[in-house]
mmCIF file of all heavy atoms in Angstrom:
data_model
loop_
_atom_site.group_PDB
_atom_site.id
_atom_site.type_symbol
_atom_site.label_atom_id
_atom_site.label_comp_id
_atom_site.label_asym_id
_atom_site.label_seq_id
_atom_site.Cartn_x
_atom_site.Cartn_y
_atom_site.Cartn_z
ATOM 1 N N LEU A 216 -21.397 102.413 162.343
ATOM 2 C CA LEU A 216 -20.248 101.812 161.654
ATOM 3 C C LEU A 216 -20.697 100.725 160.681
ATOM 4 O O LEU A 216 -20.194 100.644 159.555
ATOM 5 C CB LEU A 216 -19.276 101.231 162.685
ATOM 6 C CG LEU A 216 -18.047 100.508 162.112
ATOM 7 C CD1 LEU A 216 -17.128 101.493 161.397
ATOM 8 C CD2 LEU A 216 -17.281 99.788 163.215
ATOM 9 N N MET A 217 -21.645 99.900 161.093
ATOM 10 C CA MET A 217 -22.031 98.753 160.275
ATOM 11 C C MET A 217 -22.743 99.162 158.986
ATOM 12 O O MET A 217 -22.827 98.360 158.053
ATOM 13 C CB MET A 217 -22.904 97.794 161.078
ATOM 14 C CG MET A 217 -22.204 97.188 162.298
ATOM 15 S SD MET A 217 -20.567 96.501 161.933
ATOM 16 C CE MET A 217 -20.985 95.195 160.786
ATOM 17 N N THR A 218 -23.252 100.399 158.901
ATOM 18 C CA THR A 218 -23.874 100.839 157.642
ATOM 19 C C THR A 218 -22.855 100.920 156.519
ATOM 20 O O THR A 218 -23.214 100.822 155.340
ATOM 21 C CB THR A 218 -24.550 102.216 157.784
ATOM 22 O OG1 THR A 218 -23.563 103.213 158.102
ATOM 23 C CG2 THR A 218 -25.628 102.194 158.846
ATOM 24 N N SER A 219 -21.591 101.105 156.856
ATOM 25 C CA SER A 219 -20.558 101.219 155.831
ATOM 26 C C SER A 219 -20.151 99.856 155.289
ATOM 27 O O SER A 219 -19.554 99.771 154.222
ATOM 28 C CB SER A 219 -19.320 101.936 156.382
ATOM 29 O OG SER A 219 -18.379 102.154 155.347
ATOM 30 N N ALA A 220 -20.466 98.794 156.019
ATOM 31 C CA ALA A 220 -20.053 97.441 155.626
ATOM 32 C C ALA A 220 -21.285 96.580 155.402
ATOM 33 O O ALA A 220 -21.452 95.538 156.025
ATOM 34 C CB ALA A 220 -19.148 96.839 156.698
ATOM 35 N N ALA A 221 -22.168 97.029 154.522
ATOM 36 C CA ALA A 221 -23.425 96.328 154.282
ATOM 37 C C ALA A 221 -23.683 96.236 152.777
ATOM 38 O O ALA A 221 -24.519 96.957 152.231
ATOM 39 C CB ALA A 221 -24.573 97.048 154.983
ATOM 40 N N LEU A 222 -22.946 95.364 152.096
ATOM 41 C CA LEU A 222 -23.184 95.163 150.665
ATOM 42 C C LEU A 222 -24.630 94.715 150.473
ATOM 43 O O LEU A 222 -25.055 93.702 151.038
ATOM 44 C CB LEU A 222 -22.230 94.111 150.101
ATOM 45 C CG LEU A 222 -20.785 94.554 149.867
ATOM 46 C CD1 LEU A 222 -19.911 93.357 149.555
ATOM 47 C CD2 LEU A 222 -20.703 95.578 148.737
ATOM 48 N N PRO A 223 -25.423 95.442 149.689
ATOM 49 C CA PRO A 223 -26.872 95.211 149.656
ATOM 50 C C PRO A 223 -27.278 93.850 149.110
ATOM 51 O O PRO A 223 -28.316 93.319 149.476
ATOM 52 C CB PRO A 223 -27.387 96.347 148.767
ATOM 53 C CG PRO A 223 -26.205 96.766 147.947
ATOM 54 C CD PRO A 223 -25.017 96.559 148.828
ATOM 55 N N GLN A 224 -26.459 93.266 148.220
ATOM 56 C CA GLN A 224 -26.821 91.962 147.670
ATOM 57 C C GLN A 224 -26.496 90.831 148.642
ATOM 58 O O GLN A 224 -26.895 89.686 148.436
ATOM 59 C CB GLN A 224 -26.116 91.715 146.326
ATOM 60 C CG GLN A 224 -24.617 91.443 146.414
ATOM 61 C CD GLN A 224 -23.784 92.703 146.397
ATOM 62 O OE1 GLN A 224 -24.266 93.763 146.774
ATOM 63 N NE2 GLN A 224 -22.545 92.597 145.966
ATOM 64 N N ASN A 225 -25.756 91.163 149.729
ATOM 65 C CA ASN A 225 -25.346 90.143 150.684
ATOM 66 C C ASN A 225 -26.042 90.251 152.031
ATOM 67 O O ASN A 225 -26.420 89.248 152.636
ATOM 68 C CB ASN A 225 -23.829 90.220 150.924
ATOM 69 C CG ASN A 225 -23.028 89.946 149.672
ATOM 70 O OD1 ASN A 225 -23.526 89.336 148.729
ATOM 71 N ND2 ASN A 225 -21.779 90.394 149.641
ATOM 72 N N TYR A 226 -26.152 91.480 152.538
ATOM 73 C CA TYR A 226 -26.588 91.676 153.913
ATOM 74 C C TYR A 226 -27.927 92.402 153.992
ATOM 75 O O TYR A 226 -28.296 93.160 153.094
ATOM 76 C CB TYR A 226 -25.544 92.482 154.697
ATOM 77 C CG TYR A 226 -24.176 91.847 154.712
ATOM 78 C CD1 TYR A 226 -23.053 92.541 154.274
ATOM 79 C CD2 TYR A 226 -23.999 90.549 155.167
ATOM 80 C CE1 TYR A 226 -21.799 91.968 154.281
ATOM 81 C CE2 TYR A 226 -22.741 89.957 155.182
ATOM 82 C CZ TYR A 226 -21.651 90.671 154.737
ATOM 83 O OH TYR A 226 -20.402 90.092 154.749
ATOM 84 N N GLU A 227 -28.614 92.193 155.098
ATOM 85 C CA GLU A 227 -29.822 92.941 155.367
ATOM 86 C C GLU A 227 -29.497 94.440 155.427
ATOM 87 O O GLU A 227 -28.450 94.842 155.952
ATOM 88 C CB GLU A 227 -30.434 92.498 156.702
ATOM 89 C CG GLU A 227 -31.193 91.183 156.617
ATOM 90 C CD GLU A 227 -32.494 91.340 155.840
ATOM 91 O OE1 GLU A 227 -32.441 91.318 154.590
ATOM 92 O OE2 GLU A 227 -33.553 91.485 156.469
ATOM 93 N N HIS A 228 -30.383 95.261 154.898
ATOM 94 C CA HIS A 228 -30.137 96.700 154.833
ATOM 95 C C HIS A 228 -30.355 97.335 156.206
ATOM 96 O O HIS A 228 -31.245 96.934 156.962
ATOM 97 C CB HIS A 228 -31.050 97.342 153.791
ATOM 98 C CG HIS A 228 -30.959 96.673 152.451
ATOM 99 N ND1 HIS A 228 -31.912 96.824 151.478
ATOM 100 C CD2 HIS A 228 -30.012 95.847 151.933
ATOM 101 C CE1 HIS A 228 -31.557 96.115 150.409
ATOM 102 N NE2 HIS A 228 -30.421 95.516 150.662
ATOM 103 N N LEU A 229 -29.548 98.335 156.514
ATOM 104 C CA LEU A 229 -29.564 98.957 157.836
ATOM 105 C C LEU A 229 -30.234 100.327 157.782
ATOM 106 O O LEU A 229 -30.106 101.051 156.786
ATOM 107 C CB LEU A 229 -28.133 99.079 158.365
ATOM 108 C CG LEU A 229 -27.372 97.749 158.446
ATOM 109 C CD1 LEU A 229 -25.945 97.983 158.914
ATOM 110 C CD2 LEU A 229 -28.067 96.768 159.376
ATOM 111 N N GLU A 230 -30.920 100.677 158.857
ATOM 112 C CA GLU A 230 -31.651 101.938 158.911
ATOM 113 C C GLU A 230 -31.193 102.785 160.096
ATOM 114 O O GLU A 230 -30.801 102.257 161.135
ATOM 115 C CB GLU A 230 -33.160 101.676 159.041
ATOM 116 C CG GLU A 230 -33.757 100.934 157.865
ATOM 117 C CD GLU A 230 -35.262 100.779 157.988
ATOM 118 O OE1 GLU A 230 -35.852 101.405 158.903
ATOM 119 O OE2 GLU A 230 -35.860 100.039 157.178
ATOM 120 N N LEU A 231 -31.263 104.117 159.893
ATOM 121 C CA LEU A 231 -30.953 105.069 160.962
ATOM 122 C C LEU A 231 -32.034 106.141 161.003
ATOM 123 O O LEU A 231 -32.660 106.454 159.981
ATOM 124 C CB LEU A 231 -29.583 105.725 160.728
ATOM 125 C CG LEU A 231 -28.357 104.809 160.770
ATOM 126 C CD1 LEU A 231 -27.106 105.595 160.376
ATOM 127 C CD2 LEU A 231 -28.168 104.170 162.133
ATOM 128 N N ASP A 232 -32.238 106.719 162.182
ATOM 129 C CA ASP A 232 -33.243 107.773 162.352
ATOM 130 C C ASP A 232 -32.747 109.081 161.738
ATOM 131 O O ASP A 232 -31.563 109.413 161.809
ATOM 132 C CB ASP A 232 -33.525 108.016 163.836
ATOM 133 C CG ASP A 232 -34.197 106.818 164.492
ATOM 134 O OD1 ASP A 232 -34.881 106.070 163.784
ATOM 135 O OD2 ASP A 232 -34.012 106.634 165.710
ATOM 136 N N ASP A 233 -33.692 109.824 161.161
ATOM 137 C CA ASP A 233 -33.426 111.158 160.632
ATOM 138 C C ASP A 233 -34.031 112.178 161.598
ATOM 139 O O ASP A 233 -35.235 112.129 161.881
ATOM 140 C CB ASP A 233 -34.045 111.287 159.236
ATOM 141 C CG ASP A 233 -33.959 112.694 158.660
ATOM 142 O OD1 ASP A 233 -33.225 113.529 159.228
ATOM 143 O OD2 ASP A 233 -34.632 112.939 157.642
ATOM 144 N N LYS A 234 -33.211 113.078 162.095
ATOM 145 C CA LYS A 234 -33.675 114.078 163.064
ATOM 146 C C LYS A 234 -34.802 114.947 162.504
ATOM 147 O O LYS A 234 -35.730 115.337 163.227
ATOM 148 C CB LYS A 234 -32.490 114.950 163.487
ATOM 149 C CG LYS A 234 -32.841 116.121 164.388
ATOM 150 C CD LYS A 234 -31.620 116.998 164.634
ATOM 151 C CE LYS A 234 -31.980 118.241 165.419
ATOM 152 N NZ LYS A 234 -30.817 119.142 165.596
ATOM 153 N N ASN A 235 -34.738 115.271 161.223
ATOM 154 C CA ASN A 235 -35.650 116.257 160.644
ATOM 155 C C ASN A 235 -36.907 115.674 160.011
ATOM 156 O O ASN A 235 -37.847 116.413 159.715
ATOM 157 C CB ASN A 235 -34.922 117.084 159.580
ATOM 158 C CG ASN A 235 -33.917 118.044 160.185
ATOM 159 O OD1 ASN A 235 -33.860 118.198 161.394
ATOM 160 N ND2 ASN A 235 -33.126 118.678 159.336
ATOM 161 N N ASN A 236 -36.920 114.362 159.763
ATOM 162 C CA ASN A 236 -38.028 113.775 159.016
ATOM 163 C C ASN A 236 -38.473 112.466 159.665
ATOM 164 O O ASN A 236 -37.660 111.758 160.274
ATOM 165 C CB ASN A 236 -37.604 113.518 157.558
ATOM 166 C CG ASN A 236 -37.139 114.788 156.862
ATOM 167 O OD1 ASN A 236 -37.935 115.594 156.432
ATOM 168 N ND2 ASN A 236 -35.820 114.978 156.777
ATOM 169 N N PRO A 237 -39.750 112.119 159.549
ATOM 170 C CA PRO A 237 -40.270 110.956 160.273
ATOM 171 C C PRO A 237 -39.796 109.610 159.742
ATOM 172 O O PRO A 237 -39.660 108.656 160.511
ATOM 173 C CB PRO A 237 -41.797 111.098 160.111
ATOM 174 C CG PRO A 237 -41.982 111.924 158.878
ATOM 175 C CD PRO A 237 -40.821 112.864 158.853
ATOM 176 N N GLU A 238 -39.533 109.523 158.425
ATOM 177 C CA GLU A 238 -39.154 108.221 157.877
ATOM 178 C C GLU A 238 -37.670 107.940 158.131
ATOM 179 O O GLU A 238 -36.831 108.845 158.095
ATOM 180 C CB GLU A 238 -39.457 108.149 156.369
ATOM 181 C CG GLU A 238 -38.606 109.033 155.475
ATOM 182 C CD GLU A 238 -39.186 110.436 155.302
ATOM 183 O OE1 GLU A 238 -40.084 110.816 156.075
ATOM 184 O OE2 GLU A 238 -38.718 111.149 154.392
ATOM 185 N N ASN A 239 -37.358 106.662 158.386
ATOM 186 C CA ASN A 239 -35.966 106.262 158.570
ATOM 187 C C ASN A 239 -35.218 106.318 157.245
ATOM 188 O O ASN A 239 -35.818 106.231 156.167
ATOM 189 C CB ASN A 239 -35.887 104.843 159.135
ATOM 190 C CG ASN A 239 -36.281 104.784 160.598
ATOM 191 O OD1 ASN A 239 -36.438 105.815 161.246
ATOM 192 N ND2 ASN A 239 -36.455 103.588 161.123
ATOM 193 N N ARG A 240 -33.907 106.436 157.349
ATOM 194 C CA ARG A 240 -33.052 106.392 156.167
ATOM 195 C C ARG A 240 -32.415 105.013 156.065
ATOM 196 O O ARG A 240 -31.977 104.433 157.057
ATOM 197 C CB ARG A 240 -31.959 107.465 156.226
ATOM 198 C CG ARG A 240 -32.442 108.862 156.503
ATOM 199 C CD ARG A 240 -33.420 109.371 155.482
ATOM 200 N NE ARG A 240 -32.848 109.541 154.152
ATOM 201 C CZ ARG A 240 -33.486 110.140 153.154
ATOM 202 N NH1 ARG A 240 -34.730 110.603 153.341
ATOM 203 N NH2 ARG A 240 -32.918 110.262 151.969
ATOM 204 N N VAL A 241 -32.367 104.474 154.849
ATOM 205 C CA VAL A 241 -31.776 103.161 154.593
ATOM 206 C C VAL A 241 -30.379 103.361 154.025
ATOM 207 O O VAL A 241 -30.173 104.211 153.147
ATOM 208 C CB VAL A 241 -32.647 102.351 153.604
ATOM 209 C CG1 VAL A 241 -32.002 100.999 153.300
ATOM 210 C CG2 VAL A 241 -34.046 102.164 154.175
ATOM 211 N N PHE A 242 -29.419 102.571 154.524
ATOM 212 C CA PHE A 242 -28.025 102.758 154.104
ATOM 213 C C PHE A 242 -27.445 101.473 153.520
ATOM 214 O O PHE A 242 -27.737 100.375 153.983
ATOM 215 C CB PHE A 242 -27.178 103.223 155.287
ATOM 216 C CG PHE A 242 -27.476 104.633 155.709
ATOM 217 C CD1 PHE A 242 -28.423 104.889 156.682
ATOM 218 C CD2 PHE A 242 -26.838 105.702 155.107
ATOM 219 C CE1 PHE A 242 -28.725 106.181 157.069
ATOM 220 C CE2 PHE A 242 -27.126 107.008 155.473
ATOM 221 C CZ PHE A 242 -28.077 107.244 156.451
ATOM 222 N N TRP A 243 -26.610 101.671 152.498
ATOM 223 C CA TRP A 243 -25.862 100.584 151.867
ATOM 224 C C TRP A 243 -24.366 100.850 152.028
ATOM 225 O O TRP A 243 -23.924 101.961 152.335
ATOM 226 C CB TRP A 243 -26.167 100.517 150.377
ATOM 227 C CG TRP A 243 -27.490 99.913 150.030
ATOM 228 C CD1 TRP A 243 -28.428 99.399 150.884
ATOM 229 C CD2 TRP A 243 -28.032 99.769 148.709
ATOM 230 N NE1 TRP A 243 -29.507 98.947 150.191
ATOM 231 C CE2 TRP A 243 -29.305 99.156 148.850
ATOM 232 C CE3 TRP A 243 -27.580 100.089 147.439
ATOM 233 C CZ2 TRP A 243 -30.112 98.863 147.755
ATOM 234 C CZ3 TRP A 243 -28.381 99.797 146.344
ATOM 235 C CH2 TRP A 243 -29.634 99.187 146.496
ATOM 236 N N ASP A 244 -23.616 99.826 151.756
ATOM 237 C CA ASP A 244 -22.151 99.871 151.782
ATOM 238 C C ASP A 244 -21.639 101.053 150.958
ATOM 239 O O ASP A 244 -22.031 101.252 149.800
ATOM 240 C CB ASP A 244 -21.621 98.560 151.203
ATOM 241 C CG ASP A 244 -20.150 98.334 151.466
ATOM 242 O OD1 ASP A 244 -19.339 99.148 150.987
ATOM 243 O OD2 ASP A 244 -19.818 97.353 152.147
ATOM 244 N N GLY A 245 -20.737 101.849 151.546
ATOM 245 C CA GLY A 245 -20.234 103.053 150.885
ATOM 246 C C GLY A 245 -19.370 102.810 149.669
ATOM 247 O O GLY A 245 -19.094 103.735 148.898
#
Side-chain angles (χ1 to χ4, degrees):
L216 177 67
M217 298 311 297
T218 63
S219 186
L222 284 170
Q224 72 273 25
N225 297 339
Y226 302 124
E227 282 289 81
H228 307 162
L229 303 177
E230 298 184 9
L231 296 174
D232 293 333
D233 173 12
K234 174 186 175 183
N235 288 352
N236 302 281
E238 68 272 14
N239 287 350
R240 308 301 294 189
V241 178
F242 289 92
W243 284 359
D244 194 298

